[in-house]
Amino acid sequence: MAISETDTRGQAGLDAETLRALYRHMLRSRLLDERLWALNRQGRAPFWISGMGHEAVQVAFGMNLRPGYDWVAPYYRDLGLTLVLGMTPKDHLLSALARADDPNSGGRQMPAHYGCHRLNIITTGSPVGTQLLHAAGAALAARMRGEDSVAFTSMGEGGSSEGDFHEALNFAAIHKLAVVFVVENNGFAISVPWDKQMPTPDVADRAQAYGIPGVVVDGEDPMACFRVARDTIARARSGEGPVLVEAKVLRLTSHSSDDDQRRYRSAEVLEAEKLRDCLSRFRVTLEELGVLSAGDADEMRAELVLELDRATDEAEAAALPEPESALRHVLADGDGT
Amino acid sequence: MAISETDTRGQAGLDAETLRALYRHMLRSRLLDERLWALNRQGRAPFWISGMGHEAVQVAFGMNLRPGYDWVAPYYRDLGLTLVLGMTPKDHLLSALARADDPNSGGRQMPAHYGCHRLNIITTGSPVGTQLLHAAGAALAARMRGEDSVAFTSMGEGGSSEGDFHEALNFAAIHKLAVVFVVENNGFAISVPWDKQMPTPDVADRAQAYGIPGVVVDGEDPMACFRVARDTIARARSGEGPVLVEAKVLRLTSHSSDDDQRRYRSAEVLEAEKLRDCLSRFRVTLEELGVLSAGDADEMRAELVLELDRATDEAEAAALPEPESALRHVLADGDGT
Amino acid sequence: MPTKTYLEAIRDGIREEMQRDERVMILGEDVGAKGGVFGVTDGLQKEFGEWRVLDSPLAESCIVGVAIGAALNGMRPIAEIQFQDFILPAVDQIVSEAAKFRYRSNNDWNVPMVVRAPFGGGVHGALYHSQSIEAIFCHIPGLRVVVPSTPYDAKGMIVAALRDPDPVMYFEHKRAYRAVKGEVPDGEYTVPLDRAAVVREGADIAVFTYGMMVHTVLNAAERLVPDGFECEVVDLRALRPLDHDAIVASARKCGKVLIVQEANLAVSVSSEVAAIIAQDCFEHLDAPVMRLGGPEIPAMPFSPPLEQFYLVTPDKVETSLRELAAY
Amino acid sequence: MPTKTYLEAIRDGIREEMQRDERVMILGEDVGAKGGVFGVTDGLQKEFGEWRVLDSPLAESCIVGVAIGAALNGMRPIAEIQFQDFILPAVDQIVSEAAKFRYRSNNDWNVPMVVRAPFGGGVHGALYHSQSIEAIFCHIPGLRVVVPSTPYDAKGMIVAALRDPDPVMYFEHKRAYRAVKGEVPDGEYTVPLDRAAVVREGADIAVFTYGMMVHTVLNAAERLVPDGFECEVVDLRALRPLDHDAIVASARKCGKVLIVQEANLAVSVSSEVAAIIAQDCFEHLDAPVMRLGGPEIPAMPFSPPLEQFYLVTPDKVETSLRELAAY
Ligand SMILES: Cc1ncc(C[n+]2csc(CCOP(=O)(O)OP(=O)(O)O)c2C)c(N)n1
Ligand SMILES: Cc1ncc(C[n+]2csc(CCOP(=O)(O)OP(=O)(O)O)c2C)c(N)n1
Ligand SMILES: [Mg+2]
Ligand SMILES: [Mg+2]
């Protein structure tokens, strides 16, 4: 495809401010993610499903989208993406604690089922893969009105086995719609390894079936992710049609708080993966580049933890939904409820 | 892929007997097909959906399969295929006339919904695309038992837009199952032209998504079809995994007896296509090659028409199903009904 | 008022709403140049262009999933499914997605989409072009399910469906397309999506039905008149939510109830109507709540004697009515 | 007899049948090394190998479609769907294909396949890990639908399902997996797939229910004993075909009827049971046929107060029973 994967070392055209923002967003997502795990382990949040290891690609795409103008049909690991777009740690804490003011669902859905109309983040359910068609449909509407918005949608490599994956890429490609399909390939669908999920190592190979570009990027390399995000979104926005991006990422946690990956993955592999974590490596890179100076990262962290502590307190103090409110919003209610 | 598309002119390794059989099977299918249209136009058969223009590829594959050993999950245009495998014109006439002895369905399904357990022809319903997964499942069972049977399955290019297409190719490729997927691409799904169905001109491109060979063959060239059928079936049988074959064919009729393609296709194009008809061209080729001598084709035709006339009479004389028999065979009946 | 067929009435409703509201679009197989396999969208692509009347790939989940996305982004799409039988690949998009958007987002998102599909048999359509599987959707909160039986309702309900902010399943009986004619006003009007209609008044037996069966039942009802029995015939029209009050009112009034549908009976609309009556009209009932529908077989067979055996005919309805009358 | 959990009973049934019959295989997401998300297939891949316990791609239509094909070619596959909520992409393969093979081929082909899926809520599973959507399949001729409620039945019915020549939908209540224990014989036995079971005898109120609700109802039934009311509790077990005679017998015996299920009521199993009773027990009824189930909302919400609001509890059942008793 046209988008070249240039050298991933060095700043490679990204200015210091961008790089710092990239790091800060990733760190913010990670800290929130860790907090949500902690709440789960303490028995205060019944469920969590993590984005740890996926942050680089999520943040990179988030930074290149136009919040509230572009369309976003994410999946449950996209914590980092939603934060960049404008959702807040408190939003997701309200969700994890199933509070009435959870903006995703009012406590109706499990956490990590993102949605925010104001930001054009389409409400996500649990069924894997359905959202790709929604992105294609949103892009179709934009195309019909002659708008240059882009529809971003993401999923895991496991989700790419569903029929909807094929139907969405096919439709978007036929009509050259501005959809950026991102597969966050972490090598596992719960316990099922990629080679039981697909016959070739790269999901990006599937782009050839639709005559669209397929790009593989190291999802643990934030700068490479940023460039791919910038270029593919720009390409889609300019009317050249959809693109399929595959980010090779690490799933640094078990599938979810209900899973224990030590049952099906060796301790050595899990140890080794930690060393490839995008976040710690990126900090080193940025410090080497002088983008972050000695105390910067720690200062950032401290400030973000403060935000997080306040958000946690507020979320815990927030009210649970009223039981009878379960009956509301099945169809539009005449009384505005 | 490994299978080279060699020169399609000349006998190219096919002996005269094979070529004559190929022609005869095609002619037999065509004559039956014409008869079924005639019965429809006379108001004696409520529905027909034709294989005219698709015969070469159907017959080529049929001749290279092992009836009753290999597995066949066909689609409604595969009249020619079923005849080669061992079904008879009378079988299909009984079906078209909705007689009790219709071996496909006892008059329960529309004609062209093929099925015959004895021949491992899996009963087909109307929903497009579902059969591909059945072929993959049959091949899985064969693989588990260590058998070298091949599962053949076919569909139109329109059907390849369904999610099941993706799911079936993906599964078969992951497990290197012996499935030969054949797309009979006639350029239309009822009235929808191929370019509203897919973004690239060749369905065979989709093979790349699964790391399997994709072969395009001129479906109006019986010899080319034969070689592709022979080679792909042999490849699958030898354990090298699935293959996707796309035969570019002509739909020489309207979609079905309920359709009138003059509403959406120009008269000139329709006229021009007739000249490319596999059957008449093949006769000329075989006569030029000396495989058929002067009167051979006419003699064949006369003999086949005789068979057909007899079959038509027998089918018309056959009984309709008993009304109450509609209640039978929902689940296994204890009484063996 | 001009007389139109059921099919023309649907088309008129769609066309007029497309003229009034440029957000309305159609997505489906063969809806463009061919005008749909039954001709419902005939001429619309010419009038409104290729985008607004878009031939989709042969992929029902795609049709509905894309329609959902377009609805989210400001359109009012009609997702046309060629035959109700072929809606099943789209069930996940309809039930898991469209039906749950408003609820799962706590009212932040909604899906103003209409899914149209022809259903029903009696046209030699065999197992896969004759089915009546609306029951599947009638179980699902978050959906509206409607079936008009007259040209008047067909137009008024398609317009209402296109203005409704939630997903509406709009099922058309394919035998009604050309067989049923009636008066249809020119211009704009709507028919509510949640109200049954008493299409024949009577005090002896209440018959609840919908779709093409309304006409079958009306025919049979007349046959009892000479014997002094007047049936009240209720066209349910709205299958989800059902018009509970109308059902209870007619059942209480008559005390005897027959429910008629073309679909097989088990776990169907007829079951729910009977259950409502068994719970809420107990003290008013003078006879068992009777049901008449297709046999418990996978679908309507092709061969004429088998198809005929399947169909609910005026004769069969008459027999049931007489049984009830004599009770 | 050893005491086992519901989950262990299912696993034992599968394992023993796999030992006896090498045609039995399992295909589904995470069924292998992980042993399924609930652990039902734990250890089976180790015992029977990667082919017979095969981790499928994340694609439900594929799981069922491939299982159909394998069944045609001599296998006895279990297609495991991770949650009943995620069965919807496979509805076309189940309803259009598996359910119609025997019928459409006039008995030439059949599909001996079992589709297993956990259903039901009360485990903080929220909208998509709590659903009870068995009604969809209960409408479909050509399928069997069963729901065991005890470990004994769970084992006996999975074995029977694996020997049945037709497609069987075998739904497991996920809250029962570890919460419900009971005696389970070692070795081979089967429980019929079309028979309800009277799990508590009584002559005052007949309660029809299935799945986890059997235990909820049994609990509530005891609370009425001090007041002199004895409920007959019928575990439907077979949801399609329903055990018509058992339903009619208990309803006639008691004259008062309550139907309890976790699913929402409209067009559901409860509707059909009520309709059967309204038609066939009219002269024996002493009260309205009452139903109790989930509210008419798209699915069970996550937040504890909302989830609790949804659930049918012994308290709610008791209230309904007392209402009926007082009628
Ligand atoms: C249709 C459907 N089937 C099954 C599931 C259960 N499930 C949830 S996540 C998951 C694995 C997803 O793997 P992948 O797509 O690779 O994403 P990852 O979690 O690895 O990021 C499964 C099987 C589901 N949510 N939806
Ligand atoms: C799931 C499904 N959707 C729609 C239809 C209606 N239908 C029957 S054939 C057909 C077109 C098929 O086109 P293609 O696959 O190209 O095959 P061809 O008829 O051209 O050989 C359609 C839309 C169907 N049978 N099944
Ligand atoms: Mg993954
Ligand atoms: Mg075609």
Side-chain angles (χ1 to χ4, degrees):
Chain A
M1 70 157 292
I3 300 161
S4 68
E5 276 200 65
T6 48
D7 180 13
T8 59
R9 287 172 304 272
Q11 291 187 219
L14 304 186
D15 61 32
E17 201 183 334
T18 303
L19 290 172
R20 260 198 307 271
L22 192 47
Y23 178 74
R24 188 176 185 281
H25 281 305
M26 287 170 57
L27 181 60
R28 191 162 174 246
S29 180
R30 177 68 59 92
L31 292 169
L32 172 58
D33 208 325
E34 285 170 353
R35 176 67 50 94
L36 290 160
W37 276 103
L39 290 172
N40 172 264
R41 290 315 182 213
Q42 294 157 12
R44 289 145 83 194
F47 181 80
W48 182 238
I49 187 160
S50 183
M52 288 194 207
H54 292 227
E55 292 97 340
V57 60
Q58 293 173 9
V59 167
F61 275 91
M63 287 176 70
N64 284 284
L65 290 167
R66 291 161 59 181
Y69 180 71
D70 289 332
W71 287 77
V72 180
Y75 90 123
Y76 47 83
R77 297 214 189 273
D78 285 330
L79 182 68
L81 174 72
T82 67
L83 292 174
V84 181
L85 292 175
M87 298 193 81
T88 66
K90 182 176 165 189
D91 289 343
H92 297 313
L93 284 155
L94 286 166
S95 206
L97 298 171
R99 297 309 203 255
D101 287 343
D102 154 31
N104 294 304
S105 77
R108 290 173 169 197
Q109 292 212 79
M110 287 179 151
H113 286 59
Y114 305 114
C116 179
H117 204 150
R118 183 175 51 84
L119 297 170
N120 280 353
I121 300 175
I122 298 175
T123 170
T124 45
S126 306
V128 156
T130 49
Q131 71 275 17
L132 272 66
L133 285 165
H134 307 160
L140 172 69
R143 167 75 184 72
M144 287 174 69
R145 289 196 301 267
E147 293 165 6
D148 73 344
S149 63
V150 166
F152 166 95
T153 186
S154 57
M155 67 185 337
E157 85 292 348
S160 78
S161 298
E162 289 280 4
D164 277 4
F165 175 88
H166 170 57
E167 298 190 15
L169 270 85
N170 193 41
F171 188 85
I174 290 168
H175 295 291
K176 282 186 164 291
L177 301 177
V179 188
V180 178
F181 295 96
V182 176
V183 175
E184 304 179 21
N185 183 349
N186 58 18
F188 283 86
I190 309 186
S191 71
V192 180
W194 68 268
D195 62 341
K196 286 269 178 327
Q197 198 74 242
M198 50 203 235
T200 73
D202 294 336
V203 177
D205 288 343
R206 299 196 179 160
Q208 303 172 63
Y210 312 103
I212 64 171
V215 187
V216 179
V217 63
D218 176 358
E220 299 301 318
D221 179 340
M223 292 192 272
C225 287
F226 192 94
R227 281 188 303 269
V228 167
R230 186 188 57 200
D231 296 349
T232 53
I233 289 172
R235 182 180 186 280
R237 202 181 302 286
S238 73
E240 290 177 71
V243 47
L244 173 62
V245 176
E246 175 182 16
K248 305 284 194 187
V249 297
L250 300 172
R251 194 183 79 189
L252 292 174
T253 64
S254 286
H255 171 72
S256 75
S257 55
D258 290 342
D259 179 41
D260 180 0
Q261 64 178 337
R262 289 170 303 183
R263 278 183 64 89
Y264 51 84
R265 299 184 69 189
S266 79
E268 299 81 65
V269 170
L270 293 177
E271 255 336 289
E273 286 199 345
K274 283 194 193 142
L275 302 177
R276 291 171 44 216
D277 178 2
C278 54
L279 194 72
S280 44
R281 277 168 57 210
F282 193 36
R283 175 179 174 162
V284 172
T285 306
L286 293 185
E287 288 177 346
E288 281 170 7
L289 285 171
V291 171
L292 291 178
S293 54
D296 275 4
D298 291 332
E299 211 171 285
M300 255 186 217
R301 167 184 288 265
E303 176 204 324
L304 291 169
V305 167
L306 211 67
E307 173 196 47
L308 199 49
D309 288 342
R310 188 176 318 121
T312 310
D313 290 344
E314 289 173 8
E316 290 206 288
L320 287 165
E322 287 302 317
E324 301 73 28
S325 75
L327 297 174
R328 293 173 65 184
H329 310 315
V330 176
L331 299 173
D333 317 277
D335 60 357
T337 53
Chain B
M1 71 157 293
I3 299 162
S4 69
E5 277 199 63
T6 48
D7 179 15
T8 60
R9 286 173 304 273
Q11 289 186 221
L14 305 186
D15 61 33
E17 200 183 333
T18 303
L19 290 172
R20 259 200 308 270
L22 193 46
Y23 178 74
R24 189 174 184 280
H25 281 305
M26 286 169 59
L27 181 61
R28 190 162 175 245
S29 180
R30 178 67 59 90
L31 292 171
L32 172 58
D33 208 324
E34 284 169 353
R35 176 67 51 95
L36 290 160
W37 276 102
L39 290 172
N40 173 264
R41 291 313 181 215
Q42 294 158 11
R44 288 145 85 195
F47 180 80
W48 182 237
I49 187 160
S50 184
M52 288 194 208
H54 292 227
E55 292 97 340
V57 59
Q58 292 173 7
V59 167
F61 275 90
M63 287 176 69
N64 284 284
L65 290 166
R66 290 161 59 181
Y69 181 72
D70 289 332
W71 287 77
V72 180
Y75 89 123
Y76 46 84
R77 296 212 191 276
D78 285 331
L79 182 67
L81 174 71
T82 66
L83 291 174
V84 181
L85 292 176
M87 298 193 80
T88 66
K90 182 176 166 190
D91 289 343
H92 297 313
L93 284 157
L94 287 166
S95 206
L97 298 171
R99 297 308 203 255
D101 286 342
D102 155 32
N104 293 304
S105 76
R108 290 172 169 198
Q109 292 212 78
M110 287 179 152
H113 286 58
Y114 305 113
C116 178
H117 205 150
R118 183 177 49 87
L119 298 170
N120 280 353
I121 300 175
I122 298 174
T123 169
T124 46
S126 306
V128 155
T130 49
Q131 72 276 17
L132 272 66
L133 284 164
H134 308 160
L140 173 67
R143 166 75 183 71
M144 288 173 69
R145 289 196 301 266
E147 293 165 6
D148 73 346
S149 62
V150 166
F152 166 96
T153 185
S154 57
M155 66 185 336
E157 84 291 349
S160 78
S161 297
E162 289 281 4
D164 278 3
F165 175 89
H166 170 57
E167 298 190 14
L169 269 85
N170 193 41
F171 188 85
I174 291 168
H175 296 290
K176 281 186 166 289
L177 301 178
V179 188
V180 179
F181 295 96
V182 176
V183 174
E184 304 179 21
N185 183 350
N186 58 19
F188 283 86
I190 308 187
S191 71
V192 180
W194 68 268
D195 61 341
K196 287 269 178 327
Q197 197 74 244
M198 50 202 236
T200 73
D202 295 334
V203 177
D205 287 344
R206 299 195 179 160
Q208 302 172 63
Y210 312 103
I212 63 169
V215 187
V216 179
V217 64
D218 176 358
E220 299 302 318
D221 180 339
M223 291 191 270
C225 288
F226 192 94
R227 281 188 303 270
V228 167
R230 185 189 58 201
D231 295 351
T232 54
I233 290 172
R235 183 181 188 281
R237 200 180 303 285
S238 74
E240 290 178 69
V243 49
L244 174 62
V245 176
E246 175 181 15
K248 306 283 193 187
V249 296
L250 300 172
R251 194 184 78 190
L252 291 175
T253 65
S254 286
H255 172 71
S256 75
S257 54
D258 290 343
D259 180 41
D260 179 0
Q261 63 178 338
R262 290 170 303 182
R263 278 182 65 89
Y264 52 83
R265 298 184 71 188
S266 79
E268 299 80 64
V269 170
L270 294 178
E271 256 336 291
E273 286 199 345
K274 284 195 194 141
L275 301 177
R276 291 170 45 216
D277 178 3
C278 53
L279 194 71
S280 44
R281 278 167 57 211
F282 194 34
R283 175 180 172 159
V284 173
T285 306
L286 293 185
E287 288 177 346
E288 280 170 7
L289 285 172
V291 171
L292 290 179
S293 53
D296 276 3
D298 291 332
E299 211 172 285
M300 254 187 218
R301 167 183 289 265
E303 174 205 325
L304 291 168
V305 167
L306 210 68
E307 174 196 42
L308 199 48
D309 288 343
R310 188 175 320 122
T312 310
D313 291 344
E314 288 173 8
E316 291 207 287
L320 287 164
E322 287 302 317
E324 302 71 29
S325 75
L327 297 174
R328 294 173 65 184
H329 311 314
V330 176
L331 299 173
D333 317 278
D335 58 357
T337 53
Chain C
M1 262 197 283
T3 293
K4 304 215 160 151
T5 63
Y6 183 84
L7 185 149
E8 289 164 343
I10 300 170
R11 188 200 295 138
D12 280 6
I14 295 173
R15 180 196 287 120
E16 290 175 20
E17 196 65 5
M18 288 184 82
Q19 288 164 345
R20 282 187 294 263
D21 184 349
E22 62 179 20
R23 299 172 306 170
V24 176
M25 62 171 295
I26 306 170
L27 181 66
E29 295 157 15
D30 302 288
V31 296
K34 187 173 164 73
V37 291
F38 292 99
V40 175
T41 58
D42 195 22
L44 298 184
Q45 189 178 64
K46 220 170 196 165
E47 182 171 351
F48 299 104
E50 282 213 20
W51 284 108
R52 286 184 69 197
V53 183
L54 190 60
D55 276 328
S56 73
L58 207 180
E60 288 74 13
S61 188
C62 172
I63 294 171
V64 175
V66 166
I68 290 172
L72 301 175
N73 193 1
M75 306 304 288
R76 293 271 170 165
I78 297 175
E80 175 173 317
I81 301 294
Q82 202 158 73
F83 289 85
Q84 197 196 44
D85 317 59
F86 304 136
I87 206 167
L88 296 178
V91 160
D92 192 41
Q93 284 289 350
I94 296 168
V95 174
S96 296
E97 300 296 323
K100 294 183 174 55
F101 258 64
R102 187 186 290 281
Y103 193 79
R104 81 185 185 201
S105 69
N106 202 26
N107 216 26
D108 195 29
W109 288 96
N110 64 305
V111 182
M113 167 185 71
V114 178
V115 179
R116 284 183 43 238
F119 77 105
V123 298
H124 310 308
L127 301 186
Y128 294 98
H129 302 78
S130 307
Q131 290 177 38
S132 300
I133 47 172
E134 53 281 357
I136 289 177
F137 303 101
C138 296
H139 179 56
I140 307 298
L143 297 178
R144 288 189 186 280
V145 182
V146 300
V147 178
S149 72
T150 66
Y152 182 93
D153 285 353
K155 178 173 171 183
M157 292 178 92
I158 191 71
V159 174
L162 283 166
R163 295 177 187 186
D164 194 86
D166 290 302
V168 180
M169 311 299 295
Y170 179 98
F171 295 130
E172 307 158 10
H173 199 290
K174 66 177 78 72
R175 201 147 50 89
Y177 278 143
R178 288 163 208 282
V180 177
K181 299 189 179 70
E183 297 201 327
V184 180
D186 286 328
E188 195 173 345
Y189 69 94
T190 60
V191 170
L193 301 175
D194 52 5
R195 291 277 167 270
V198 176
V199 292
R200 184 185 196 288
E201 294 204 27
D204 299 318
I205 302 175
V207 190
F208 300 97
T209 186
Y210 62 95
M212 198 61 194
M213 286 296 110
V214 172
H215 306 285
T216 305
V217 167
L218 284 172
N219 175 327
E222 291 309 316
R223 304 185 187 181
L224 272 74
V225 175
D227 304 302
F229 289 102
E230 292 293 344
C231 296
E232 173 135 319
V233 180
V234 181
D235 179 356
L236 294 167
R237 298 196 299 194
L239 305 188
R240 176 162 195 107
L242 280 164
D243 187 349
H244 179 272
D245 295 349
I247 293 168
V248 169
S250 290
R252 288 189 179 173
K253 174 179 169 193
C254 299
K256 294 182 176 182
V257 170
L258 175 67
I259 308 160
V260 180
Q261 67 184 21
E262 194 174 311
N264 64 298
L265 296 173
V267 189
S268 69
V269 173
S270 71
S271 324
E272 183 62 21
V273 174
I276 288 171
I277 293 168
Q279 177 145 1
D280 294 339
C281 309
F282 174 68
E283 298 184 355
H284 302 75
L285 287 178
D286 303 319
V289 177
M290 284 185 63
R291 295 189 292 160
L292 181 62
E296 292 295 316
I297 63 178
M300 195 180 295
F302 180 60
S303 192
L306 303 179
E307 185 180 59
Q308 205 49 40
F309 177 85
Y310 186 104
L311 286 170
V312 175
T313 56
D315 286 355
K316 292 183 191 168
V317 177
E318 184 187 351
T319 305
S320 294
L321 289 174
R322 291 198 183 279
E323 225 180 289
L324 265 178
Y327 189 88
Chain D
M1 263 197 282
T3 292
K4 304 216 159 148
T5 63
Y6 184 81
L7 184 149
E8 288 163 344
I10 300 170
R11 188 200 296 137
D12 280 6
I14 295 173
R15 181 195 288 119
E16 291 175 18
E17 197 64 4
M18 288 184 82
Q19 288 164 346
R20 282 187 293 262
D21 184 349
E22 62 178 19
R23 299 171 307 169
V24 176
M25 61 171 294
I26 305 170
L27 181 66
E29 296 157 14
D30 301 290
V31 296
K34 187 172 164 75
V37 290
F38 293 99
V40 175
T41 58
D42 195 23
L44 298 184
Q45 189 178 64
K46 225 177 194 156
E47 183 170 350
F48 299 104
E50 283 214 18
W51 285 109
R52 286 184 68 195
V53 183
L54 190 60
D55 277 328
S56 73
L58 207 179
E60 288 75 13
S61 188
C62 171
I63 294 170
V64 174
V66 165
I68 290 172
L72 300 176
N73 193 0
M75 305 303 289
R76 294 271 170 166
I78 296 175
E80 175 172 317
I81 302 294
Q82 201 158 72
F83 289 85
Q84 197 196 45
D85 318 60
F86 304 136
I87 205 168
L88 296 178
V91 160
D92 191 40
Q93 284 288 350
I94 296 168
V95 174
S96 296
E97 299 297 323
K100 295 185 174 55
F101 258 63
R102 186 186 290 279
Y103 193 78
R104 81 183 185 204
S105 70
N106 203 26
N107 216 25
D108 196 30
W109 288 95
N110 63 305
V111 182
M113 166 184 73
V114 178
V115 179
R116 284 183 43 239
F119 77 105
V123 297
H124 310 308
L127 301 187
Y128 294 98
H129 302 79
S130 307
Q131 290 177 37
S132 300
I133 47 171
E134 52 281 357
I136 290 177
F137 303 101
C138 296
H139 179 55
I140 306 298
L143 297 178
R144 289 188 185 280
V145 183
V146 301
V147 178
S149 73
T150 64
Y152 182 92
D153 284 353
K155 178 173 171 184
M157 292 178 93
I158 191 71
V159 174
L162 283 166
R163 297 178 185 185
D164 194 85
D166 291 301
V168 179
M169 311 298 296
Y170 179 99
F171 295 131
E172 307 158 9
H173 199 291
K174 65 177 79 69
R175 201 147 51 88
Y177 277 143
R178 287 165 207 281
V180 177
K181 299 189 181 70
E183 297 200 328
V184 179
D186 285 329
E188 195 173 347
Y189 69 95
T190 60
V191 170
L193 302 174
D194 52 4
R195 291 278 167 269
V198 175
V199 293
R200 184 187 197 285
E201 295 204 25
D204 299 318
I205 303 175
V207 191
F208 300 96
T209 187
Y210 61 94
M212 198 63 193
M213 287 296 109
V214 172
H215 306 284
T216 305
V217 167
L218 284 172
N219 175 328
E222 290 308 316
R223 303 185 186 181
L224 271 74
V225 175
D227 302 303
F229 290 101
E230 292 293 346
C231 295
E232 173 135 319
V233 181
V234 180
D235 180 356
L236 294 167
R237 299 196 300 194
L239 305 188
R240 175 162 197 106
L242 281 164
D243 186 348
H244 179 273
D245 295 350
I247 292 168
V248 169
S250 289
R252 289 188 178 174
K253 173 179 169 191
C254 299
K256 294 182 177 182
V257 169
L258 176 67
I259 308 161
V260 180
Q261 66 185 22
E262 194 174 311
N264 65 298
L265 296 174
V267 190
S268 69
V269 174
S270 71
S271 324
E272 183 61 23
V273 174
I276 288 171
I277 292 168
Q279 177 145 1
D280 295 338
C281 310
F282 174 68
E283 298 185 352
H284 303 75
L285 286 178
D286 303 319
V289 177
M290 283 185 63
R291 295 189 292 160
L292 181 62
E296 292 295 314
I297 62 178
M300 196 180 294
F302 180 60
S303 192
L306 303 179
E307 185 181 60
Q308 204 50 39
F309 177 84
Y310 185 105
L311 286 170
V312 175
T313 57
D315 286 356
K316 292 183 191 169
V317 177
E318 184 187 351
T319 304
S320 295
L321 288 174
R322 290 197 184 281
E323 226 179 287
L324 265 178
Y327 188 89

